[in-house]
Amino acid sequence: MTAVLATAVLLLVAGCSSGDDKTPAGRTGSASAPAASSSGAVGSPSPTGPPAKGSVKVVSTLTEGLKSPWGVAALPEGDLLVASRDEGTITRVDVETGKKTQIGSVPGVSPGGEGGLLGLAVSPSFASDHQVYAYFTTASDNRIARMLYDDQKPADQQLGAPDTILRGIPKGSIHNGGRIAFGPDKMLYAGTGETGDGGLAQDKKSLGGKILRMTPDGQPVHGNPEADSIVYSWGHRNVQGLAWDSDKRLWAAEFGQNTWDELNLIEPGKNYGWPEVEGKGGKPGFVDPVAQWRTADASPSGIAYAEGSIWMASLRGERLWRIPLAGAEPSAQPQSFLNGKYGRLRTVLSAGGAKLWLVTSETDTRGTPEPGDDKILQLEVK
């Protein structure tokens, strides 16, 4: 990677970047713009990349009053499914009216700390199999299960019994990972955390601190780095964002510890360094991040790809980051939007073209909820 980008801050923040410190009471809506700087030369934007400077317009508030929202997945017709981390429920949100309908609870969810009902994904064959996938914390582990979704049944009774496709992902009070998504290859990917035990990230036999790739049935995929393993990449601290660009490259966002949060370009079988390296280390055998941020400015969660850029929701940073891409590298400095205006930002989801859904995260015990929290915002970006 030739360009590793960093935003400068006045204070180096110590401690876990997963948002352990509660945000200040109230929201300014006018937080000072980050003083962007680069640790490497950044040339003129590539003619094939998006503009160096983008824009974000909040078109509307789709819905309000969500409780600890975490994972979000779009149904084929566009409506959204939203997971409540702490309540273990899934709610359907009508994208035309904002109406919320609780479709059911996921049995076995054991919320606590950063664990609970986390990522959601809709089967790429949903039209025929009607399967919804969930990543969640139980009393003993993190696991992935799929459930039949029947919207003809009464509200709150529309989810079938969970069919567990993967169990045994390490759990902890912190760093449970949790993001799942189906890739362009129709395989299921999952970002996991190392539960605060950095050694798990470097242990190929552990499912902690990894990006996993599996069939919809939870089995290893032909073409994985090791034929009998679902481990796709390793050396991760706590992956919470997964997205693919227009050329089907996989990007992932993850928490750093004391210094650098990361955006990584994921390649199969590669080691992303944790806990030996945090941020750009330049050490042989480890892959450096494409972009990095001070932990106070990010604590990244969900990411999405739209209009030639990666869009990254930030918890502690309380802002939405835009990282314009020219191929596999940034074409310009990252740019932040909505600084402090909506509080902690958990999930961002592409809705096609220049449209994004953005989910706030003020009711996750680490925010400062205001009337209406938590919300889903409709954005127009470029």
Side-chain angles (χ1 to χ4, degrees):
M1 301 299 175
T2 60
V4 179
L5 306 175
T7 50
V9 292
L10 298 177
L11 180 66
L12 182 62
V13 179
C16 176
S17 112
S18 53
D20 295 333
D21 296 332
K22 299 189 75 173
T23 57
R27 300 172 200 156
T28 65
S30 59
S32 60
S37 66
S38 174
S39 58
V42 179
S44 301
S46 164
T48 61
K53 298 295 183 181
S55 65
V56 170
K57 177 182 178 182
V58 179
V59 176
S60 65
T61 298
L62 173 63
T63 198
E64 298 183 335
L66 296 169
K67 298 178 181 178
S68 60
W70 210 99
V72 180
L75 293 166
E77 66 270 31
D79 283 359
L80 303 178
L81 298 180
V82 184
S84 170
R85 185 193 71 183
D86 297 339
E87 303 210 347
T89 58
I90 299 177
T91 296
R92 180 169 178 161
V93 179
D94 187 307
V95 295
E96 297 297 328
T97 67
K99 179 183 177 182
K100 303 191 297 289
T101 302
Q102 187 168 301
I103 67 172
S105 300
V106 179
V109 173
S110 179
E114 295 175 4
L117 180 57
L118 302 174
L120 296 179
V122 171
S123 167
S125 305
F126 184 83
S128 57
D129 65 26
H130 303 286
Q131 296 285 344
V132 173
Y133 288 70
Y135 182 119
F136 58 96
T137 311
T138 73
S140 59
D141 64 358
N142 285 297
R143 63 184 60 177
I144 300 172
R146 57 188 175 188
M147 296 157 285
L148 184 67
Y149 173 35
D150 184 354
D151 63 3
Q152 299 304 304
K153 290 186 175 181
D156 208 28
Q157 301 177 33
Q158 297 174 357
L159 289 177
D163 171 22
T164 300
I165 66 164
L166 180 66
R167 66 182 74 235
I169 303 170
K171 64 162 284 188
S173 60
I174 59 172
H175 303 178
N176 289 286
R179 198 69 63 180
I180 58 174
F182 280 95
D185 56 3
K186 298 185 178 181
M187 297 296 107
L188 182 63
Y189 293 73
T192 73
E194 34 76 296
T195 71
D197 179 357
L200 296 182
Q202 292 294 321
D203 180 358
K204 287 188 177 181
K205 295 181 180 179
S206 172
L207 297 180
K210 308 294 189 297
I211 292 176
L212 311 176
R213 177 177 181 250
M214 68 199 82
T215 69
D217 296 323
Q219 299 301 309
V221 182
H222 177 72
N224 276 4
E226 297 182 11
D228 60 347
S229 174
I230 61 173
V231 172
Y232 193 66
S233 63
W234 49 301
H236 298 287
R237 187 169 185 258
N238 191 24
V239 176
Q240 290 199 1
L242 297 172
W244 288 263
D245 64 23
S246 56
D247 291 319
K248 302 181 180 180
R249 286 178 287 252
L250 174 59
W251 300 83
E254 67 177 284
F255 292 121
Q257 183 175 24
N258 296 326
T259 313
W260 298 116
D261 293 326
E262 301 180 356
L263 177 69
N264 285 296
L265 176 61
I266 303 301
E267 299 179 72
K270 294 299 180 67
N271 184 344
Y272 288 80
W274 181 256
E276 303 300 322
V277 183
E278 180 182 358
K280 177 180 170 59
K283 292 186 177 181
F286 301 127
V287 179
D288 280 341
V290 171
Q292 60 185 20
W293 293 261
R294 297 294 187 182
T295 55
D297 292 338
S299 295
S301 189
I303 62 173
Y305 177 80
E307 299 296 286
S309 297
I310 294 290
W311 301 84
M312 186 177 80
S314 294
L315 293 164
R316 189 173 184 178
E318 297 188 354
R319 64 198 76 179
L320 180 68
W321 284 101
R322 172 187 185 260
I323 304 95
L325 299 177
E329 295 183 356
S331 58
Q333 294 273 359
Q335 185 181 7
S336 67
F337 298 92
L338 309 179
N339 295 22
K341 188 171 184 180
Y342 295 98
R344 295 160 59 83
L345 304 179
R346 172 67 67 180
T347 298
V348 59
L349 183 70
S350 173
K355 182 178 177 181
L356 294 177
W357 300 114
L358 180 64
V359 184
T360 67
S361 188
E362 287 289 280
T363 60
D364 67 347
T365 74
R366 291 175 175 173
T368 306
E370 294 184 2
D373 284 334
D374 272 305
K375 305 176 178 73
I376 299 179
L377 307 174
Q378 179 182 340
L379 308 182
E380 184 177 290
V381 303
K382 67 179 182 181

